[in-house]
Amino acid sequence: MFTLHALTDFVKIHAASVKARWGLYGLTALESIIFPIPVDPLLAACVYARSESWVSIGVLTTIWSVIGGVIGWYLGFAVQDFVSDMLQLLPHQIAGPEKFSAVSAAFAELGIILVLIGAFTPLPYKVIAVSAGLFGYALLPFIMFSVIGRGARFLLVSGLVAHRHDFRLVLGFLSALLILVGAGMWVVS
């Protein structure tokens, strides 16, 4: 029979390996570009198995996430002209150039908030990264606010797991964060 103790032992054995951490870092970079599943559970497992290394695991996860975000930003930046050309084909009521310009201006005005929210919360950071490039948000502020947001998130998750050894606490924290962001977006709109 599979017990919680057996699961804990399994996680400690496999998540403590160097391969697991490199898998975490690789998936973290991909998650910032295309991968649809947040890496927090894998981060929590790696930290759970190697609690003494929680800071370095959190920092490296942040670095790889921002590297993936920069790739996402570049992809958005690279398709600006293509998207603009495609918008020309759509009716102006749906997505004319003026609507694209309005969204671009809104991103320029609220970009810091969007990047911080996307980087810190379980909302799809990849959408923020690609959008930042697409709408011409400057790369250096994008990197800076991504490091702040992603670093705070991953170090908080790592610290909670390392010092509490409680996955439920981490999942509860992330759920509360998602609810707060949703409520904030509802209030703003």
Side-chain angles (χ1 to χ4, degrees):
M1 182 167 158
F2 201 68
T3 65
L4 185 58
H5 183 66
L7 177 62
T8 303
D9 290 344
F10 179 83
V11 168
K12 278 190 172 186
I13 290 169
H14 294 289
S17 72
V18 173
K19 287 181 183 179
R21 286 190 305 284
W22 278 109
L24 166 67
Y25 306 142
L27 282 175
T28 300
L30 285 176
E31 187 260 340
S32 296
I33 306 166
I34 57 169
F35 196 64
I37 301 169
V39 297
D40 300 83
L42 184 55
L43 170 62
C46 287
V47 170
Y48 184 73
R50 302 278 313 234
S51 295
E52 72 282 355
S53 301
W54 73 271
V55 173
S56 64
I57 294 171
V59 167
L60 286 169
T61 302
T62 299
I63 290 168
W64 282 99
S65 180
V66 173
I67 288 170
V70 168
I71 293 169
W73 181 94
Y74 178 75
L75 291 173
F77 184 77
V79 298
Q80 277 181 337
D81 292 335
F82 174 75
V83 170
S84 182
D85 291 344
M86 290 296 108
L87 290 176
Q88 297 293 330
L89 301 175
L90 295 172
H92 288 296
Q93 297 87 349
I94 296 174
E98 64 280 346
K99 292 197 188 310
F100 187 79
S101 295
V103 173
S104 181
F107 205 98
E109 182 181 328
L110 302 171
I112 292 170
I113 295 168
L114 292 173
V115 172
L116 282 172
I117 288 172
F120 186 73
T121 67
L123 295 174
Y125 173 64
K126 65 194 96 354
V127 172
I128 298 297
V130 172
S131 297
L134 181 65
F135 295 117
Y137 189 72
L139 181 59
L140 288 178
F142 171 77
I143 291 171
M144 183 175 70
F145 292 114
S146 291
V147 167
I148 292 168
R150 294 309 257 185
R153 174 181 170 177
F154 293 139
L155 286 170
L156 189 58
V157 169
S158 295
L160 285 171
V161 172
H163 296 294
R164 301 290 297 204
H165 281 274
D166 191 352
F167 287 115
R168 292 176 300 195
L169 181 66
V170 174
L171 292 176
F173 166 73
L174 292 174
S175 299
L177 206 57
L178 186 57
I179 290 168
L180 287 173
V181 168
M185 294 178 89
W186 178 73
V187 168
V188 170
S189 62

